[in-house]
Amino acid sequence: MHDGHHSGGMMLIRRLGNYARLTPEDEAALQQMLALPIRLAHARRDIIAEGAVPRAVFLIVSGWACQFKTLEDGRRQIVGFLLPGDSCDLNNLVLRRMDHSIGALTDVRYMEIPGGAIQRLTRDHPRIGKALWWQMLVHLSVQREWTTNLGQRNAMERLGSLLCELALRLRDVGLSNGECYDLPLTQTDLADATGLTSVHINRTLQQLRASGLISLSGRVLRIPNFAALQEASLFAPDYLHRAQLEARQSHGMAGAGAADHAER
Amino acid sequence: MHDGHHSGGMMLIRRLGNYARLTPEDEAALQQMLALPIRLAHARRDIIAEGAVPRAVFLIVSGWACQFKTLEDGRRQIVGFLLPGDSCDLNNLVLRRMDHSIGALTDVRYMEIPGGAIQRLTRDHPRIGKALWWQMLVHLSVQREWTTNLGQRNAMERLGSLLCELALRLRDVGLSNGECYDLPLTQTDLADATGLTSVHINRTLQQLRASGLISLSGRVLRIPNFAALQEASLFAPDYLHRAQLEARQSHGMAGAGAADHAER
DNA sequence: CGAACATTTGAAGCGCGTCAAAGCCGGTGG
DNA sequence: CCACCGGCTTTGACGCGCTTCAAATGTTCG
């Protein structure tokens, strides 16, 4: 449940390796690039703000961060979560300004990978370039699913889908055993991510608890029956494009998630 | 207002040229690749369905298409529009299955660019590769904005923002003179894109008309005062990342759109 | 002219928001 | 050890924005 031996860097390499078959040289190059100082952001502080001109890519080593956008009048939408091993979009390198902010939800340890390093890497190691493309396209797919989540699902389905997504993503980086995980979000955070109010999130959580789909006390979320929550939320995990992960480390929930959906 | 001399291919080249400075050789290579047969999809037919295994990238030559996702029970969310000159995500090349469908809203003329052609192009012409990265990141930015649109804005703001986005995008490809454009969407389409019902879209359109922000008769939408609609909708065009377009072809609305927002 | 589809309108209901106050919990300092 | 404080969660009452259902009115095109 802690990050311990998950060095963040290792997690990145493992993940990229799932997107494209990396050679030992590729991995060594990544390894070398990741000899970077670890930076710290305190909970509830912004790592980078909308409109800023970034010069690096952020790689989360431990803790949770979120991407969010703010309307003029203060309304705030969380458009994605960054979990350990996640990196922010290459957005930073290519576009001139941030179109969203990144904020720390918990204390966050992260690395700043300078743009030049990434450009060199993709130039000299085409497989790494391909893996980055893959990752980017998965981000895009996830963002489309969030759009659908907000546009079509009701409160219970929205919240349930979000909790399912987090379960699978945390599992892929070893931060969930498949049944429960540490959820460091406040109900206000959940509200901002689902487009609901914190009051309604509270009531919806109670509803999910009452129907036995989740239990949540303190910061530990438990999903006793993943398939049940998935069905109640109309959650279809295909959009995470994690098929190849499942093939390799196939046990329990993760496989079931997609198997349920292979039938059509 | 028609597509006439806008050959779709030319539009693609012009657009990519805005993302990275292409050499004459780059442009020639693109030109050559675009000697492909033009395919036709009839209005209301799918071009490719969710779950399919694609082998090409689609480039819209004329007409409107949309990307959409469907929940098990039939609810449908339009997650993006593809206008002339737009291409679908490289999704198709890298990921194994479509996580969304692409459907023709009007009759659509399009080209299928085989994956190999694009791989060769990016390998031999790094600037084109960079331009494609850019385009992809802009797609991602737009998708984040749609997420925010659905999560935080009310009906009028949602619809207004969408109409603003379409105005700017159509203008960039020469399909709007800045004040009005052809809107081939039904109210049901607008509903599916904004996460509202068609009944409520109808009422919201009337409200926009009553307040003089738009006029819409037949399929022609007119925005007499873009700044007013923009303000009423809390529309902030930065997310389209079209700064460089404005710098080059600066006149009227397009410039104003961003200028309004440069002040902060 | 008629069928299929899009727009418009009305009436009624519900999901979620708003407002406000009351617990609750961890942390801090006296 | 208790008093206190700020932030999070929980609860209740009420209201509104949007949905639902149903039917009428265009509109387009064989």
Side-chain angles (χ1 to χ4, degrees):
Chain A
M1 238 35 191
H2 308 98
D3 40 286
H5 56 286
H6 298 283
S7 79
M10 282 314 295
M11 249 181 301
L12 176 73
I13 294 178
R14 205 177 74 191
R15 172 172 310 185
L16 290 181
N18 277 318
Y19 291 146
R21 288 214 179 277
L22 302 182
T23 66
E25 294 82 46
D26 292 338
E27 297 196 353
L30 279 169
Q31 198 64 265
Q32 189 186 353
M33 184 191 72
L34 292 172
L36 287 168
I38 294 209
R39 292 162 176 274
L40 193 79
H42 285 289
R44 307 284 143 193
R45 298 290 263 281
D46 284 2
I47 294 178
I48 186 169
E50 191 170 341
V53 180
R55 70 255 146 250
V57 166
F58 302 102
L59 172 65
I60 308 293
V61 175
S62 71
W64 287 39
C66 70
Q67 306 170 279
F68 64 94
K69 302 194 66 160
T70 315
L71 299 189
E72 297 167 22
D73 61 4
R75 277 177 280 176
R76 160 188 146 116
Q77 176 68 41
I78 292 180
V79 296
F81 291 109
L82 299 178
L83 309 181
D86 284 340
S87 61
C88 72
D89 314 322
L90 270 36
N91 198 311
N92 302 19
L93 300 185
V94 183
L95 302 178
R96 53 193 70 197
R97 290 175 164 279
M98 290 293 290
D99 51 66
H100 63 279
S101 306
I102 298 181
L105 294 169
T106 65
D107 284 353
V108 167
R109 292 191 298 140
Y110 67 97
M111 292 192 279
E112 288 191 358
I113 306 175
I118 297 205
Q119 273 159 14
R120 248 176 289 122
L121 216 53
T122 56
R123 192 191 54 212
D124 302 339
H125 302 266
R127 284 186 194 79
I128 295 179
K130 185 177 178 194
L132 288 175
W133 264 106
W134 205 300
Q135 197 180 35
M136 178 77 11
L137 287 161
V138 171
H139 273 164
L140 189 49
S141 174
V142 170
Q143 202 66 55
R144 277 191 289 262
E145 178 65 20
W146 279 52
T147 304
T148 306
N149 207 18
L150 295 184
Q152 299 299 324
R153 288 192 247 253
N154 64 27
M156 210 218 59
E157 295 162 345
R158 274 188 226 182
L159 188 49
S161 288
L162 178 58
L163 297 178
C164 283
E165 175 181 316
L166 292 173
L168 296 184
R169 287 174 58 188
L170 286 169
R171 193 176 188 298
D172 287 344
V173 294
L175 290 174
S176 162
N177 58 20
E179 188 162 326
C180 52
Y181 58 87
D182 181 55
L183 184 74
L185 304 176
T186 67
Q187 296 186 0
T188 304
D189 293 330
L190 289 171
D192 287 347
T194 52
L196 300 166
T197 59
S198 61
V199 171
H200 202 63
I201 284 288
N202 184 286
R203 297 194 230 254
T204 307
L205 279 173
Q206 290 177 46
Q207 185 186 337
L208 284 172
R209 276 189 282 234
S211 49
L213 290 171
I214 66 168
S215 64
L216 175 62
S217 63
R219 290 173 25 163
V220 176
L221 179 86
R222 159 171 277 116
I223 305 177
N225 183 347
F226 189 84
L229 181 60
Q230 173 173 343
E231 191 186 348
S233 312
L234 296 182
F235 177 74
D238 300 15
Y239 72 95
L240 289 169
H241 291 281
R242 47 203 282 294
Q244 62 282 27
L245 283 171
E246 284 150 15
R248 224 160 287 179
Q249 50 173 62
S250 65
H251 33 150
M253 179 190 73
D260 263 18
H261 229 71
E263 80 295 273
R264 68 171 151 83
Chain B
M1 236 36 188
H2 308 98
D3 41 285
H5 55 285
H6 297 283
S7 79
M10 283 313 296
M11 250 182 301
L12 177 73
I13 295 178
R14 204 176 75 191
R15 173 173 309 185
L16 290 181
N18 277 318
Y19 292 145
R21 287 215 179 278
L22 302 182
T23 64
E25 293 83 47
D26 293 338
E27 297 196 354
L30 279 169
Q31 198 65 264
Q32 189 185 350
M33 183 192 72
L34 291 173
L36 287 167
I38 293 207
R39 292 161 176 274
L40 194 78
H42 285 288
R44 306 286 144 190
R45 296 292 261 281
D46 284 2
I47 294 177
I48 186 167
E50 191 169 342
V53 180
R55 71 251 145 253
V57 166
F58 302 102
L59 172 65
I60 307 293
V61 175
S62 72
W64 287 39
C66 69
Q67 307 170 278
F68 64 94
K69 300 195 67 161
T70 315
L71 299 190
E72 298 167 23
D73 61 1
R75 279 177 279 175
R76 161 188 145 116
Q77 176 68 41
I78 292 181
V79 296
F81 291 108
L82 298 178
L83 310 181
D86 285 338
S87 61
C88 73
D89 315 324
L90 272 34
N91 200 309
N92 302 20
L93 300 186
V94 184
L95 303 178
R96 54 193 69 196
R97 289 174 165 279
M98 291 293 291
D99 52 67
H100 64 279
S101 307
I102 298 181
L105 294 169
T106 65
D107 284 352
V108 167
R109 293 191 297 140
Y110 66 99
M111 291 192 276
E112 286 190 359
I113 305 176
I118 297 205
Q119 273 159 15
R120 247 176 291 122
L121 216 53
T122 56
R123 192 191 54 213
D124 302 339
H125 301 267
R127 283 187 195 80
I128 294 179
K130 185 177 177 192
L132 288 176
W133 265 105
W134 205 300
Q135 199 180 32
M136 177 75 14
L137 287 161
V138 171
H139 273 165
L140 189 48
S141 174
V142 170
Q143 202 64 55
R144 276 190 289 262
E145 178 64 20
W146 278 52
T147 304
T148 306
N149 207 17
L150 295 183
Q152 299 299 323
R153 288 192 246 253
N154 64 27
M156 209 217 63
E157 294 163 345
R158 274 188 226 182
L159 188 48
S161 288
L162 177 59
L163 296 178
C164 283
E165 176 182 315
L166 291 172
L168 295 185
R169 288 174 57 188
L170 286 169
R171 192 175 190 300
D172 288 345
V173 293
L175 290 173
S176 162
N177 57 23
E179 188 162 327
C180 51
Y181 58 87
D182 182 55
L183 183 75
L185 304 177
T186 67
Q187 296 185 358
T188 303
D189 294 329
L190 289 171
D192 287 346
T194 52
L196 301 165
T197 58
S198 62
V199 171
H200 201 63
I201 284 287
N202 183 286
R203 296 186 169 127
T204 307
L205 278 173
Q206 289 178 47
Q207 185 186 336
L208 283 171
R209 274 189 282 235
S211 49
L213 290 171
I214 66 167
S215 64
L216 174 62
S217 63
R219 291 175 21 163
V220 176
L221 179 87
R222 161 171 275 116
I223 304 177
N225 183 347
F226 189 84
L229 181 59
Q230 173 172 344
E231 190 185 347
S233 313
L234 297 182
F235 177 75
D238 301 16
Y239 73 95
L240 290 168
H241 291 281
R242 45 201 286 292
Q244 62 282 25
L245 282 171
E246 283 152 12
R248 226 162 286 179
Q249 49 174 65
S250 64
H251 34 147
M253 179 191 74
D260 264 18
H261 232 71
E263 89 267 298
R264 68 170 150 86

